């Protein structure tokens, strides 16, 4: 049975995977400095569409790494994104991960304002007195709320990772974020998800050490 | 700004998404009775490949629903899969979700046996005196361990959801599970992930009520 498997030590599997991805990308053009992020998204999904659909604002990678080094915290829209982020790595720089979607006060605010819990959880997060990176893998309404806060000059996140997945208002919410002049990493189109949001955070974290 | 968005009430978004997916699937053939699972995987990933790559053992959906109704628990290979499962829905039937990957005794067993934590966490899970569904979104070594346990007639899960994602030994580990005569749902090929593993569990849970 064993002979059907490629012999790779557990700790070497990730490196071997990235080799295969690099090989199969061939001469696909990637924006210099974004390669580790694009490749990790492909690693997480086995979907090479991410080579084409990831969009980066100017200089976003440097700004994001700097923010993390300065102790930025990460706010997620779902517990699943939170579960996927390498919290031990983030803690090295003083950051923490927050997700307010299941909080009772968030549910109440959403109901009062006829809004969504995802949108209300963004407003709760901006009260935190710390620099924040937002990692949105699910809710277009969270992205719309962040855009509104920026437009109204009420709040500017250090970075918006806008990668909700889906079929209703997802594409438009991402286009909106790409209109802002704030740093963003967005997966254009319908694709994305909790796994992609978490893996972009991890890709950034691993770039600091490497 | 609002006019760029489709007007859909938050609670209608899922239904509208499934409508779009059904429309776009057109006359794609799906195995009768598996449609809600396939469509939810597409809903979770915006990736229509899942219409072709999901494989189901004979009568697996009925068996899985029956197991859940009988109080089956779900064992996951990562915290992210656990985070994504609708635990409140599972609890209605008496089930719980377990993930042992971060346990210290699992780390020790893995080290002793020169194995992986994922494989060791499967062995810990089979000690539970409850009917179990395994939802594997990440680790091919977890699937290989489950196959070995079945081959050695040591343990038979109620269902194996085999949807790890990746480039090294992932495809082979899934082929192995499809050789077993035990109930399985497998995403053939490289694709899958924590999101897909969780969403298949949720699709099954939602099929009971609907």
């Amino acid at each position: 049975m064993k002979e059907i498997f490629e012999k790779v030590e557990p700790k070497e599997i990730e490196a071997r995977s990235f080799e295969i991805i690099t090989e199969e990308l061939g001469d696909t053009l990637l924006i210099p400095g974004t390669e580790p992020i694009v490749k990790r998204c492909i690693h997480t999904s086995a979907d090479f569409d991410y080579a084409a659909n990831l969009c980066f604002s100017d200089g976003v990678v440097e700004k994001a790494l700097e923010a993390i080094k300065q102790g930025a915290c990460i706010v997620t829209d779902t517990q699943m994104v939170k579960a996927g982020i390498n919290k031990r790595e983030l803690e090295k720089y003083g950051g923490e991960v927050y997700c307010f979607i299941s909080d009772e006060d968030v549910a109440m605010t959403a109901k009062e304002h006829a809004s969504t819990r995802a949108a209300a959880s963004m407003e709760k997060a901006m009260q935190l007195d710390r620099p924040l990176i937002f990692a949105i893998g699910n809710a277009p309404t969270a992205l719309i709320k962040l855009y509104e806060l920026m437009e109204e000059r009420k709040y500017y996140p250090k970075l918006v990772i806008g990668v909700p997945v889906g079929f209703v208002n997802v594409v438009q919410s991402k286009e909106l974020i790409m209109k802002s002049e704030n740093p963003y990493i967005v997966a254009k189109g319908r694709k994305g998800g909790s796994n992609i949001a978490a893996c972009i955070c991890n890709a950034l974290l691993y770039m600091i050490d490497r």
Side-chain angles (χ1 to χ4, degrees), chain A:
Chain A
M1 181 191 107
K2 300 279 184 193
E3 65 274 15
I4 66 168
F5 292 104
E6 192 175 345
K7 277 195 184 65
V8 185
E9 289 295 310
K11 63 177 194 289
E12 304 294 336
I13 288 177
E14 188 173 304
R16 177 74 190 113
S17 301
F18 274 76
E19 263 176 38
I20 297 170
I21 292 165
T22 305
E23 245 172 69
E24 296 194 16
L25 277 170
D27 50 12
T28 307
L29 274 181
L30 301 177
I31 303 164
T34 68
E35 298 92 338
I37 300 168
V38 175
K39 289 180 187 176
R40 188 163 291 274
C41 287
I42 297 171
H43 176 254
T44 275
S45 61
D47 188 341
F48 282 82
D49 278 7
Y50 288 100
N53 70 16
L54 284 172
C55 302
F56 299 84
S57 63
D58 280 349
V60 64
V61 175
E62 295 74 9
K63 288 173 196 167
L65 300 187
E66 194 51 37
I68 295 170
K69 284 194 257 180
Q70 300 287 332
C73 292
I74 300 176
V75 176
T76 70
D77 63 335
T78 65
Q79 303 295 351
M80 218 176 159
V81 179
K82 184 177 174 181
I85 295 172
N86 189 331
K87 286 164 281 283
R88 204 151 44 174
E89 204 62 33
L90 183 62
E91 277 163 18
K92 285 187 190 169
Y93 311 100
E96 288 174 71
V97 186
Y98 295 99
C99 177
F100 298 122
I101 193 84
S102 324
D103 292 10
E104 267 184 48
D105 57 335
V106 163
M108 273 173 47
T109 312
K111 212 170 174 182
E112 274 167 30
H113 298 184
S115 166
T116 65
R117 286 191 295 147
S121 76
M122 298 297 108
E123 287 188 297
K124 178 165 179 174
M126 68 172 255
Q127 312 299 332
L128 291 167
D129 193 21
R130 302 183 69 167
L132 298 179
I133 290 170
F134 287 78
I136 309 302
N138 187 63
T141 55
L143 284 191
I144 297 167
K145 174 55 72 182
L146 289 172
Y147 178 78
E148 287 172 349
L149 292 170
M150 292 188 280
E151 277 298 285
E152 294 161 7
R153 300 173 187 232
K154 284 187 183 157
Y155 188 71
Y156 299 98
K158 290 290 175 190
L159 164 65
V160 177
I161 298 171
V163 295
V165 60
F167 296 85
V168 176
N169 293 333
V170 163
V171 172
Q172 298 94 311
S173 72
K174 293 171 180 174
E175 296 288 339
L176 213 51
I177 288 296
M178 288 193 281
K179 278 188 202 156
S180 78
E181 285 174 17
N182 212 62
Y184 65 76
I185 300 175
V186 162
K188 216 177 157 162
R190 289 171 166 176
K191 287 185 177 177
S194 310
N195 51 344
I196 296 296
C199 108
I200 292 173
C201 295
N202 292 337
L204 290 167
L205 284 166
Y206 303 151
M207 285 171 87
I208 299 181
D209 280 333
R210 287 168 193 187

